[in-house]
Amino acid sequence: MTLTRRAFTATAAAAIATPAFAAARPAPVIIGHRGASGERPEHTRSAYLLAIQEGADFIEPDLCLTKDGHMVVRHENEIGGTTNIAAHPEFAARKTAKTIDGERIEGWFTEDFTLAELKTLRARERLPQVRPASAAFDGTDLILTFEEVVEIARAETKRTGRTIGVYPEMKHPSYFAGVGLAFEGRMAAALKAAGLDAKDAPVFVQCFEVAPLKTIRTLTRAPLVQLMSLEGGPADNSAVSYAQMATADGLKAISAYADGVGPEWKMVVPVTDGALAAPTAFVSDAHAAGLKVHPWTVRAENIFLPAKLKRGADPAVHGDVDALYDALFKAGVDGLFSDFPGLGVQARTRFLKA
Ligand code: G3P
Ligand code: CA
């Protein structure tokens, strides 16, 4: 299976730019975070197809590695929380405890299973209390490989006539390298096989760590994104914090190996006294360094929103998420991750009209 340059003739951003807005800046892209993961169990074919149906420009697979070296689509290598593996007695003896990036975790881990074994499992909703409608789809989907997500994007690009990009994240690459499963070569080879080894390919490869991005920079021409969060720092370098990396100088240093940055959204639009405050200098500093800015992750439910955007006390009810979309678009972001890409597309349409 190959995603040829011919199939993806333009970048996703260019493909969705409206003529009026394109003169200033391409319209921000909407990234279906783990698919439409607010409405279907994350990282499943169902979640990705719904995200595309809702208008997402990119679909996001988080990736972990299997014992036999396949890149499988899971947010973390412990899979007890998002699959039915606990109901598989043949795997009971493989339950164990490990330390991943300094955190002690108990469960079942992708690197202890072959792809064939993982394919006997079914996906489950991570947050059934908050997302019961999504949990109704528990048991319907298999664990996917990265190649299968690329194939979904390729097929949907052909079917819809829209460019559907992929936005893979290498999860815990230093940890995986330590157990003999290096990510970078596998990712670079997969991009090449898929026809995505190009600067203008509809793909962004993301990572919270630094060294794996620098390594993969030498292996592929595909765009790269440095992820960062409000607190902490990269797991592969305790000498630097994300706060330092988010300064004007830090962003300039990132531009030596990456094409964009993926900050936690509060680094762009801070929350003060439970309300959205004025934007920080993050976007202007990143743009000055030549970096795109794709914040994560816009979620609609009250539980994920600042106090003053909540509607009532039910954590599962949707709050005023439009206010957050609007604030991020006004801050000048080049795209954003959302668990509800359909709401993001609607908000973008309103923003562009306004
Ligand atoms: O990759 C962007 C965003 O997804 C980062 O957070 O933990 O959801 O992978 P996480
Ligand atoms: Ca991710």
Side-chain angles (χ1 to χ4, degrees):
M1 174 276 306
T2 296
L3 276 181
T4 63
R5 295 289 298 282
R6 193 187 177 96
F8 283 150
T9 51
T11 66
I16 61 158
T18 63
F21 196 79
R25 196 171 61 228
V29 296
I30 304 298
I31 305 150
H33 182 247
R34 314 179 195 174
S37 59
E39 300 162 277
R40 296 289 185 277
E42 66 188 41
H43 290 134
T44 59
R45 182 177 298 274
S46 303
Y48 291 126
L49 290 177
L50 182 57
I52 293 164
Q53 185 187 319
E54 292 179 353
D57 307 298
F58 285 83
I59 50 177
E60 191 226 13
D62 293 322
L63 300 174
C64 293
L65 288 161
T66 67
K67 187 179 187 174
D68 48 348
H70 293 276
M71 292 186 288
V72 285
V73 184
R74 291 287 96 193
H75 180 260
E76 54 272 304
N77 51 338
E78 197 292 302
I79 51 175
T82 59
T83 73
N84 64 348
I85 194 165
H88 280 250
E90 70 275 24
F91 297 140
R94 274 186 253 181
K95 188 174 186 183
T96 186
K98 302 190 185 198
T99 300
I100 316 291
D101 295 347
E103 190 185 351
R104 187 83 176 153
I105 296 169
E106 191 177 306
W108 294 264
F109 296 83
T110 58
E111 66 270 23
D112 296 333
F113 294 83
T114 63
L115 177 60
E117 288 173 330
L118 293 180
K119 282 287 187 185
T120 67
L121 306 178
R122 294 293 182 274
R124 295 169 55 89
E125 169 55 47
R126 175 188 297 274
L127 305 168
Q129 304 297 323
V130 178
R131 295 171 170 170
S134 174
F137 293 87
D138 281 0
T140 62
D141 278 277
L142 303 174
I143 290 181
L144 298 170
T145 62
F146 176 52
E147 289 80 1
E148 287 170 330
V149 174
V150 171
E151 175 57 23
I152 290 171
R154 187 204 63 77
E156 289 295 293
T157 293
K158 189 173 176 193
R159 187 185 68 78
T160 63
R162 290 166 36 221
T163 301
I164 311 298
V166 290
Y167 210 122
E169 179 182 349
M170 297 184 290
K171 284 291 186 189
H172 311 297
S174 292
Y175 168 79
F176 276 115
V179 296
L181 292 164
F183 241 119
E184 298 90 332
R186 289 177 168 88
M187 173 58 72
L191 294 172
K192 196 164 187 183
L196 293 169
D197 180 20
K199 199 170 173 52
D200 63 349
V203 63
F204 289 94
V205 178
Q206 39 163 350
C207 192
F208 278 104
E209 296 182 21
V210 175
L213 285 173
K214 289 182 175 175
T215 299
I216 204 166
R217 177 75 297 156
T218 67
L219 304 175
T220 181
R221 291 164 290 184
L224 307 180
V225 167
Q226 175 70 62
L227 296 172
M228 54 180 73
S229 53
L230 197 56
E231 296 177 351
D236 63 326
N237 185 357
S238 58
V240 68
S241 69
Y242 288 131
Q244 291 167 326
M245 292 170 69
T247 62
D249 284 347
L251 291 164
K252 200 171 167 194
I254 289 170
S255 70
Y257 62 88
D259 305 272
V261 276
E264 189 172 348
W265 66 257
K266 289 174 187 170
M267 300 172 81
V268 174
V269 177
V271 174
T272 305
D273 296 330
L276 300 177
T280 64
F282 189 97
V283 172
S284 55
D285 288 346
H287 284 171
L291 295 165
K292 291 184 188 302
V293 181
H294 294 161
W296 50 273
T297 295
V298 181
R299 296 175 162 123
E301 297 98 339
N302 277 334
I303 191 171
F304 298 114
L305 291 170
K308 290 189 179 161
L309 268 51
K310 296 181 196 295
R311 290 182 172 133
D314 186 339
V317 164
H318 286 203
D320 184 10
V321 70
D322 286 339
L324 177 53
Y325 284 121
D326 289 348
L328 290 167
F329 291 142
K330 282 179 188 158
V333 302
D334 303 287
L336 52 79
F337 292 83
S338 181
D339 286 4
F340 294 87
L343 298 180
V345 169
Q346 290 168 23
R348 177 178 67 191
T349 300
R350 283 194 305 273
F351 170 71
L352 295 177
K353 276 187 187 157

